[in-house]
Amino acid sequence: MNRPWTFTRTLGLMAASVGALILGMPGGSAFAQGAPLTNITFNLDFTVLGRYAPWYVALAKGYYKDAGLNVKIVPGQGTAQAIQALESGLAQFSFSDVTSLVVASANGTAHAKFVMINYQKPPYAVFSLNPGANVTTPAQLSGLEIGTGAGSFTPKVIRGFMKEKGLNPDSVKFVNIDGAARVGMLLSGKVPAIETFIFGQAGIARSVAAGQKLSTLFLANEGLQLYANGLLVKDDYLKQNPDLVRRFVKASLMGWHDALENPAEAAKLQTRYIPGLSPASVVAEMKVVAALSVTANTKAHGLGSIDPATMERSVAFVEKYAGLQGTPPAAKSLYTTAFLPKTPIAP
């Protein structure tokens, strides 16, 4: 016999319909009903600067919360330390680079994969002054003295880049200078050139004396094809928490999309969490982030996308020039595209 249509059954169907509607909305989630959030620690690769605004946009706009995640963003002390935080369990997600993962995987200290690549281009740059060394072409690296930092991988990148350009990598001289003094040494003329990431361009340019201009050799614009930073997750965490990883990736990419689309808003949101940051510096760094992350590949396949051929070239470059200890990893073991959104999030 059919059961009578009761008021209770009517309320149940109404609740189910509302739930389905919420889940179908953009950004809707099964966690919108007040379910407990999962605590997540995300380890950056450096102290918090404007380049990290996209992650804070995802935090400020509630994208992580809507995904059922309570995300804590913590500063890092370099890409190698970001991997160590991941491996030790201090963080579930880390922001690091391909070079560091290749090196750590070869020596057996990393068992992780990239689930998205954010910097599709490498940030390596050589800065000089005009008048001065005025380095604007790769050929001018020959015989040049460049200020660098002890333990920096960039000299190996520059030498590898020179070799692939048919230049003599042994002709360039690297001088170790403390990071805090490097720009000052350039501006005072005590060193003709320095290497540092392209993010520093705007700040250095503002400090150049009257009558001089900053010259920038951005290696990515001269043909260096090398993946840089992306989101890393341990292999076992990927296996145990696939849905959570997908939710974190999608929420993060939503933040990236918004930050790239509106850097001024991104600066306003990030400085709520990091009040010591200058909104102007955030906007300036976001312009650099856009140059690194918005490419033909990401326009076609979405932010964070990973091209197998580019990853192969990146790993081969590091293997050839980094002086690896241990067994070089296969490129395909270092990344997965399985956690990117099925509908790509375009820049």
Side-chain angles (χ1 to χ4, degrees):
M1 186 174 68
N2 292 333
R3 294 175 60 191
W5 192 270
T6 65
F7 179 67
T8 302
R9 292 179 67 196
T10 301
L11 286 178
L13 286 174
M14 288 174 64
S17 298
V18 171
L21 180 61
I22 290 173
L23 289 173
M25 289 180 179
S29 116
F31 306 93
Q33 304 301 315
L37 303 179
T38 301
N39 292 327
I40 293 294
T41 298
F42 172 44
N43 203 108
L44 300 174
D45 65 332
F46 198 58
T47 188
V48 182
L49 298 169
R51 70 196 71 167
Y52 303 117
W55 312 100
Y56 286 91
V57 170
L59 191 65
K61 289 194 170 185
Y63 295 150
Y64 290 131
K65 184 177 180 181
D66 289 345
L69 307 172
N70 179 37
V71 176
K72 178 182 180 182
I73 303 174
V74 298
Q77 299 175 1
T79 52
Q81 181 273 331
I83 293 177
Q84 292 169 3
L86 197 70
E87 292 293 327
S88 66
L90 293 176
Q92 291 73 49
F93 297 88
S94 281
F95 194 57
S96 190
D97 67 352
V98 170
T99 296
S100 297
L101 182 61
V102 173
V103 171
S105 296
N107 64 30
T109 59
H111 307 86
K113 286 181 173 62
F114 285 103
V115 292
M116 62 178 173
I117 294 292
N118 300 93
Y119 298 164
Q120 302 274 317
K121 295 180 180 180
Y124 306 108
V126 174
F127 295 105
S128 58
L129 297 177
N130 179 19
N134 190 27
V135 180
T136 59
T137 67
Q140 292 173 283
L141 293 170
S142 296
L144 184 67
E145 182 178 297
I146 303 175
T148 186
S152 172
F153 179 72
T154 305
K156 294 181 180 179
V157 172
I158 293 174
R159 288 193 172 106
F161 170 76
M162 290 179 68
K163 191 168 185 178
E164 295 194 340
K165 288 288 185 180
L167 303 170
N168 179 10
D170 296 327
S171 68
V172 65
K173 179 182 178 182
F174 289 97
V175 180
N176 286 335
I177 301 172
D178 180 79
R182 203 177 307 173
V183 172
M185 293 282 281
L186 171 67
L187 298 179
S188 64
K190 294 180 180 179
V191 64
I194 62 171
E195 62 82 2
T196 189
F197 292 150
I198 191 66
F199 297 106
Q201 184 181 44
I204 299 173
R206 287 195 297 269
S207 303
V208 172
Q212 286 187 310
K213 293 183 179 180
L214 182 69
S215 298
T216 303
L217 182 68
F218 182 31
L219 302 190
N221 284 351
E222 302 296 334
L224 178 63
Q225 296 184 19
L226 182 66
Y227 271 150
N229 286 53
L231 186 66
L232 270 180
V233 188
K234 282 186 70 174
D235 291 337
D236 58 0
Y237 195 84
L238 287 173
K239 293 177 182 177
Q240 296 165 10
N241 305 279
D243 181 61
L244 185 153
V245 174
R246 288 189 182 91
R247 286 184 273 125
F248 186 90
V249 168
K250 183 177 180 180
S252 297
L253 288 175
M254 290 167 66
W256 273 78
H257 169 273
D258 292 0
L260 291 168
E261 187 173 63
N262 192 338
E265 179 193 46
K268 182 178 180 180
L269 294 176
Q270 187 183 17
T271 52
R272 290 181 186 174
Y273 297 92
I274 315 295
L277 279 179
S278 158
S281 69
V282 176
V283 171
E285 287 210 9
M286 280 306 303
K287 290 181 179 179
V288 178
V289 168
L292 298 179
S293 59
V294 180
T295 64
N297 183 59
T298 56
K299 288 178 181 178
H301 304 290
L303 292 168
S305 58
I306 304 174
D307 173 58
T310 304
M311 182 63 80
E312 288 279 355
R313 284 195 298 270
S314 301
V315 174
F317 183 95
V318 177
E319 180 181 344
K320 187 173 183 179
Y321 299 113
L324 297 182
Q325 296 181 356
T327 304
K332 63 182 180 181
S333 71
L334 303 181
Y335 74 97
T336 174
T337 59
F339 300 90
L340 289 167
K342 291 184 179 179
T343 301
I345 298 177

